[in-house]
Amino acid sequence: MTITFIGHGYVGLVTACIFADFGNEVFVVGHTKEKVARLRKGDPIIYEPTLKELLKKNLQAKRLHFTLDFQEAIPRSEIVFIAVGTPPKDNGEADLSAIFDVSRKLAKYLKRGLTVVACKSTVPVGTNKKIEAILLKHKPKGAEIAVASCPEFLREGTAIYDTLNPDRVVIGTSSKKAAEKLIELHKSLNGKRVMTDLASAELIKYTANSMLATKISFANLISFYCEKTGADVETVLDAVGLDERIGRVFMNPGVGYGGSCLPKDVKAITQTGSNLNINVDFLKAIENINQTAQKNLIQKIKRYSPGKKIAIWGLSFKPDTDDIREAPSINIINQLLELGFKIFAYDPVANTNIKKIFVNKINLLTDQNKPLENADALVILTEWNEFKQTDLKNIKKLLKYPVIFDGRNLYNPQLMKKLGFKYFSVGRKSVL
Ligand code: UDX
């Protein structure tokens, strides 16, 4: 099949590479000259494990084409995917201007006969109907369209695996022909098929992401109880998670959720709910707890740090990505700077992105051990693998004081006690 992706973020680029790898002819339309030039040369722009290899392989096979020109891609495509960003506006609502803008642009170039236009971007219920109206208004005579909603559930860091092995492929459309074409295109992917209407497909994505955020905030809420009562959050959640109705996955307490999806989507579904006169107190609580998780860590540092020189490990919003969008590290560093702390930080891949925000306000180091030298304490914000089994005795040797604030519960408190650390983690007894 010949298909087009409009947008080359995590969703657009990864999915385009995979469909090209299956032997399809894939066009990707971008709107920044410099980015398209880099992609053409095999530079994926984003850091995602093994994406570079997949990109290069399919560029070399000449199945994957990057362009700025809608005209080069749209007229030859059977399916056009919209995969542009829907960032939050100031009031939390999803900003749909890019979606509507590309819909207008692509409509002009639709060929005679049927083109399926499928939206992969996360959009509020009703958006695909608006896309349909724009396409019908701007399309040439003789062009037919069928609109579909195909939300994407990939995670950063495991995006390729997730795209190949989704739990479900959701296809929302009222058009039989569109459904057939999309089923055919997705046939090499694993996972159950969910065939549904447009509105349900749109709501499935928001429901999934707000449910995931709920699990994290609930785990964090229980960690607050544990800290006040002396209970151990890991034991509590392990025991509760043994109940198959509840489960244990995605219930790790820490410094809260970040990234380009969970924070934005919780805000957007809250705003949509308000607009629909639905009581959204529950959704507001998810976000409040997330902020409290960050405040908690800052309170501990403020209270127990023996000095103002702090080492930080981990800046990306989660491991295996250089993405720092809504990363807890940004808010935490800002607040620590306001409190007069000096920051020496390390991240395996996110230093460059963090530098764009803080410029010279913090010291970024490329060696994991460097920030520790003579620092008053170590703060851990992202659970990169390389921190998990690091030489703790060496950390103790390098730090001025053996104090660790662990926002991801990486180490065993008993062991930390034995090694002579003061160790503050989440929802577990502090080692003083
Ligand atoms: C998320 C959804 O998982 C994915 O299905 C959707 O398509 C996009 O949004 P992503 O943002 O890549 O994916 O990351 P995810 O793995 O969901 O983690 C989000 C945040 O939650 C991270 O900051 C992570 O550290 C945090 N998290 C996750 C926790 O604090 N505790 C957990 O138990 C799990």
Side-chain angles (χ1 to χ4, degrees):
M1 248 186 235
T2 302
I3 61 175
T4 287
F5 280 83
I6 302 177
H8 46 63
Y10 278 89
V11 170
L13 182 57
V14 171
T15 323
C17 285
I18 284 172
F19 282 133
D21 207 47
F22 287 153
N24 296 291
E25 184 87 11
V26 182
F27 288 83
V28 179
V29 183
H31 77 289
T32 320
K33 220 172 158 184
E34 182 239 331
K35 286 188 180 169
V36 166
R38 280 171 64 188
L39 287 161
R40 279 182 182 152
K41 283 188 193 140
D43 169 0
I45 306 177
I46 49 174
Y47 174 85
E48 181 64 35
T50 70
L51 179 59
K52 196 172 193 161
E53 291 77 6
L54 197 63
L55 171 66
K56 284 197 159 161
K57 179 182 164 202
N58 287 287
L59 281 170
Q60 266 157 22
K62 300 198 184 329
R63 287 190 295 261
L64 188 56
H65 317 275
F66 292 93
T67 178
L68 292 157
D69 187 1
F70 282 74
Q71 194 170 9
E72 191 187 334
I74 307 298
R76 36 179 122 182
S77 295
E78 288 173 65
I79 303 176
V80 176
F81 286 103
I82 297 178
V84 296
T86 52
K89 294 197 228 172
D90 286 346
N91 67 356
E93 238 172 68
D95 182 348
L96 301 174
S97 50
I99 298 263
F100 297 144
D101 186 42
V102 299
S103 302
R104 270 188 298 272
K105 282 185 183 145
L106 81 87
K108 280 202 293 189
Y109 300 107
L110 289 167
K111 62 177 185 311
R112 290 187 73 81
L114 181 71
T115 306
V116 176
V117 179
C119 185
K120 277 214 168 277
S121 308
T122 306
V123 292
V125 177
T127 306
N128 276 283
K129 280 272 171 214
K130 292 182 186 161
I131 294 175
E132 185 176 37
I134 293 174
L135 295 173
L136 288 172
K137 187 172 166 198
H138 295 277
K139 75 175 179 62
K141 269 195 190 140
E144 280 171 54
I145 50 133
V147 172
S149 167
C150 292
E152 176 55 56
F153 302 94
L154 62 82
R155 292 162 296 176
E156 291 180 24
T158 51
I160 291 172
Y161 177 85
D162 289 350
T163 308
L164 288 169
N165 302 285
D167 293 321
R168 67 298 208 195
V169 172
V170 175
I171 298 174
T173 183
S174 56
S175 155
K176 202 169 160 247
K177 280 187 191 159
E180 280 166 5
K181 271 201 190 295
L182 287 163
I183 287 172
E184 171 66 17
L185 180 70
H186 287 85
K187 71 177 177 202
S188 304
L189 299 181
N190 295 321
K192 292 210 167 115
R193 277 22 180 186
V194 178
M195 307 304 297
T196 184
D197 56 275
L198 278 178
S200 302
E202 290 167 329
L203 196 56
I204 285 168
K205 179 66 197 251
Y206 279 108
T207 308
N209 275 357
S210 47
M211 185 66 211
L212 291 170
T214 301
K215 290 187 93 175
I216 300 168
S217 279
F218 195 77
N220 281 323
L221 178 67
I222 297 305
S223 82
F224 307 156
Y225 279 84
C226 291
E227 290 185 5
K228 297 266 185 205
T229 58
D232 182 281
V233 75
E234 301 293 346
T235 312
V236 171
L237 292 175
D238 284 349
V240 171
L242 288 171
D243 185 328
E244 282 177 9
R245 293 169 304 173
I246 300 172
R248 178 66 169 91
V249 280
F250 225 81
M251 288 236 286
N252 297 310
V255 285
Y257 59 79
S260 66
C261 291
L262 264 46
K264 158 178 91 72
D265 293 350
V266 171
K267 284 191 185 89
I269 193 174
T270 308
Q271 189 56 39
T272 309
S274 292
N275 295 347
L276 294 168
N277 275 330
I278 295 167
N279 183 330
V280 288
D281 289 352
F282 176 81
L283 295 169
K284 285 183 182 163
I286 301 172
E287 199 185 331
N288 284 340
I289 294 169
N290 202 47
Q291 284 166 11
T292 309
Q294 295 178 15
K295 281 186 201 141
N296 253 7
L297 180 79
I298 292 159
Q299 286 308 320
K300 284 181 203 157
I301 300 172
K302 210 170 134 185
R303 186 154 171 215
Y304 294 109
S305 176
K308 295 275 186 190
K309 187 177 172 189
I310 295 280
I312 293 184
W313 273 2
L315 302 165
S316 55
F317 82 96
K318 64 183 242 181
D320 292 322
T321 177
D322 65 348
D323 197 341
I324 55 159
R325 283 177 287 177
E326 302 272 340
S329 66
I330 298 175
N331 191 19
I332 291 169
I333 290 175
N334 267 325
Q335 298 209 28
L336 290 175
L337 287 174
E338 259 176 47
L339 291 166
F341 284 92
K342 286 203 164 57
I343 313 276
F344 294 76
Y346 164 79
D347 187 280
V349 295
N351 279 7
T352 315
N353 284 339
I354 280 282
K355 175 107 186 147
K356 288 178 199 152
I357 296 185
F358 291 103
V359 194
N360 293 325
K361 286 193 199 151
I362 66 171
N363 303 280
L364 288 161
L365 298 143
T366 49
D367 176 327
Q368 184 176 327
N369 285 327
K370 275 276 169 210
L372 305 175
E373 287 172 7
N374 220 24
D376 296 311
L378 167 64
V379 177
I380 299 173
L381 298 181
T382 315
E383 68 280 31
W384 282 91
N385 268 342
E386 58 209 89
F387 305 151
K388 291 180 182 163
Q389 293 185 343
T390 192
D391 182 353
L392 293 164
K393 286 184 186 152
N394 189 45
I395 297 185
K396 198 175 167 210
K397 216 162 62 190
L398 293 170
L399 287 171
K400 189 165 172 190
Y401 301 101
V403 181
I404 298 185
F405 299 95
D406 179 358
R408 297 290 180 180
N409 286 358
L410 294 191
Y411 310 124
N412 178 334
Q414 304 303 326
L415 175 68
M416 298 308 272
K417 190 173 180 177
K418 226 166 98 187
L419 291 173
F421 277 98
K422 282 191 180 176
Y423 180 61
F424 304 88
S425 51
V426 181
R428 305 187 296 179
K429 274 189 199 132
S430 297
V431 174
L432 291 165

